[in-house]
Amino acid sequence: MRKLFATTAVALTVFGAAAVPASADTVKIAFVDPLSGGAASVGQMGLNHLKFIADTVNAAGGVNGDMLEVTGYDNQVNAQTSLVQVQKAIDEGAKIIFQGNGSSVGIAIEEFVTKYNSRNPGAHILYMNYAAVDPAMTNEKCSYWHFAFDANVTIKMEAMTNFIKDQPEVKKVYLIDQDYSFGHAVADTAVSMLKEKRPDIEIVGNEFHPLVKITDFAPYVAKIKASGADTVITGNWGQDFALLIKAAGQAGLDVKWFTYYAGAAGGPTAIKQAGLDGKVFQVNEGIANLNYGPAMETTKAYTERYKDAPTMFPRVFNAMDMMVKAMEEAKSSDPADFAPKLEGMTFQSFSNGGEMFMRADDHQLFQPIIISAIGPVESGQVDEENTGWGWKSVGEIAAKDTIVPTTCDMKRPG
């Protein structure tokens, strides 16, 4: 298969998307994520990614001659609203659902798609999950019609705690997370893994707060400060992370931050404003400054198109690239035909070209994991949100070293 993005992204920004051939069919992709409210900036970035990639693929001739069409559906980070939007998307011809923000939403969509497909043989829908990382989704709730392209909570915490265990200055850890399934999974996993790897570390707080509802985190930061913590671990994302860091900066809270989503919308700006140079770490599937040529070329093209929201989500590129490869190999855009091609697929990571593979047992992607810190970047390096600060790798784990067991008992069609 051609490597989609490196060869066409720059041409796309210059010439625009190719005209759709009169004989082409349309592959409709529904993006069901927050496009209003406190999490809208994160959702809009995901939609930007999908539209950019679809235009790139279409400019290169589409998939088997068919054109990709991406439509956004606002789910307001609400499970019930999401199901209404998924049904609306299906009614409008979508066969592929992309979602990522909110594991409680993801679990609801996963269950809906599984039931829908069992009740509608011959009209299958596929759920492409680019960011919902509750381990239940690829364990007890696993589904043949769901593929997870972000490392789940357990995988990321394994990498994070392996890094922390070699930091002797970490002695007192405070946990603060959003009060829903993902947040509790982060906290529970952190507690168990730190106890195993660094039993000398004291957990001095384990706090939960409502999802995307807090506008002033000063009271929470005051608790962290009073606890004597030297380190904070958080799974917060979007507005909940940015406002937490803002409050920390205003209070002069001088601790290390270990995060899952500090690089999401608003995070880098808040970190820069708080002056936390080299104190905020994230564990994820990739960053811009890894000097991998194809990724750098695509990143340049993407950020030129979206100057006001230039943050990159490599996992969205991985998901779309692998999906297109599966469709091409199956010579079909029907999920029933191309889903088997995704199972067991090996691929090169968008971020650094490292090997990834989709485990057939539970449809969890295993990929290189990068631990990075943010601070001022040099000329020629990629900064985040036009801050002059960018992510730099401080550790990397190969995909083969991130494998965790699964309890998935996959129910396959037929």
Side-chain angles (χ1 to χ4, degrees):
M1 178 210 171
R2 67 186 188 279
K3 188 68 176 175
L4 296 175
F5 307 118
T7 56
T8 62
V10 174
L12 175 64
T13 59
V14 175
F15 300 112
V20 177
S23 59
D25 289 329
T26 301
V27 179
K28 295 188 176 184
I29 300 170
F31 179 79
V32 182
D33 248 346
L35 298 173
S36 64
S41 58
V42 178
Q44 186 61 51
M45 282 188 182
L47 182 58
N48 291 349
H49 279 63
L50 285 191
K51 286 183 175 292
F52 175 86
I53 297 166
D55 287 347
T56 304
V57 172
N58 292 343
V63 185
N64 302 317
D66 296 337
M67 298 294 109
L68 303 181
E69 178 184 296
V70 177
T71 303
Y73 295 84
D74 182 14
N75 71 356
Q76 303 168 29
V77 202
N78 178 278
Q80 191 55 47
T81 301
S82 297
L83 300 188
V84 172
Q85 295 289 51
V86 168
Q87 185 61 63
K88 179 181 178 182
I90 293 171
D91 292 343
E92 292 177 354
K95 293 183 178 180
I96 300 158
I97 308 296
F98 262 82
Q99 182 271 341
N101 295 293
S103 291
S104 56
V105 171
I107 288 171
I109 292 176
E110 183 175 19
E111 292 175 344
F112 177 93
V113 168
T114 301
K115 290 177 182 177
Y116 180 91
N117 287 345
S118 68
R119 296 168 181 170
N120 296 274
H124 298 101
I125 308 301
L126 194 69
Y127 170 28
M128 300 283 284
N129 169 13
Y130 75 92
V133 294
D134 188 329
M137 298 182 71
T138 50
N139 283 285
E140 63 268 25
K141 294 185 179 295
C142 69
S143 167
Y144 177 81
W145 303 106
H146 162 253
F147 288 85
F149 291 88
D150 197 1
N152 69 26
V153 167
T154 306
I155 298 168
K156 288 184 176 181
M157 190 58 72
E158 182 78 21
M160 184 185 293
T161 51
N162 279 345
F163 185 79
I164 290 174
K165 73 180 175 62
D166 294 327
Q167 308 294 312
E169 67 276 16
V170 177
K171 295 180 172 65
K172 295 184 177 183
V173 171
Y174 198 103
L175 307 173
I176 181 166
D177 290 288
Q178 296 149 319
D179 191 8
Y180 75 112
S181 59
F182 163 67
H184 283 269
V186 170
D188 292 347
T189 309
V191 169
S192 64
M193 289 189 178
L194 286 175
K195 183 178 180 180
E196 175 189 350
K197 299 173 186 180
R198 278 283 305 276
D200 61 302
I201 289 178
E202 182 182 357
I203 304 296
V204 295
N206 195 349
E207 184 97 18
F208 297 96
H209 63 81
L211 175 65
V212 200
K213 294 187 184 302
I214 304 299
T215 57
D216 182 8
F217 277 89
Y220 294 94
V221 169
K223 289 183 183 180
I224 297 172
K225 205 167 186 179
S227 74
D230 53 57
T231 301
V232 175
I233 294 176
T234 181
N236 278 22
W237 51 270
Q239 171 182 292
D240 284 339
F241 177 78
L243 292 179
L244 175 61
I245 287 292
K246 178 182 178 181
Q250 291 172 340
L253 179 62
D254 185 20
V255 299
K256 287 187 174 182
W257 295 81
F258 286 92
T259 79
Y260 279 37
Y261 298 117
T269 298
I271 296 166
K272 166 71 179 296
Q273 290 172 347
L276 296 173
D277 180 7
K279 296 220 170 210
V280 179
F281 302 83
Q282 68 171 342
V283 53
N284 68 353
E285 79 289 353
I287 57 174
N289 294 313
L290 294 178
N291 297 319
Y292 178 55
M296 292 174 68
E297 184 179 346
T298 302
T299 297
K300 180 181 178 182
Y302 178 84
T303 54
E304 285 177 354
R305 177 166 169 177
Y306 294 105
K307 292 182 174 65
D308 295 332
T311 299
M312 295 286 286
F313 295 156
R315 57 188 173 273
V316 181
F317 285 83
N318 289 333
M320 282 287 279
D321 208 344
M322 291 176 69
M323 183 188 75
V324 168
K325 178 183 178 183
M327 287 180 176
E328 289 183 338
E329 289 185 352
K331 297 181 172 53
S332 171
S333 61
D334 185 333
D337 295 332
F338 75 80
K341 300 296 184 180
L342 279 170
E343 288 196 311
M345 180 184 289
T346 59
F347 210 79
Q348 286 185 312
S349 166
F350 171 86
S351 293
N352 64 0
E355 184 174 273
M356 312 183 300
F357 67 94
M358 179 64 70
R359 184 163 64 184
D361 293 348
D362 58 351
H363 294 182
Q364 171 67 60
L365 183 68
F366 289 92
Q367 58 198 305
I369 297 294
I370 308 297
I371 298 172
S372 56
I374 191 168
V377 294
E378 300 172 359
S379 176
Q381 292 183 311
V382 177
D383 75 337
E384 298 291 328
E385 300 180 339
N386 303 310
T387 60
W389 282 24
W391 295 101
K392 303 173 186 178
S393 175
V394 296
E396 182 175 337
I397 302 96
K400 65 182 178 60
D401 296 323
T402 70
I403 299 171
V404 296
T406 181
T407 60
C408 173
D409 181 17
M410 185 76 72
K411 302 297 189 296
R412 299 177 181 278

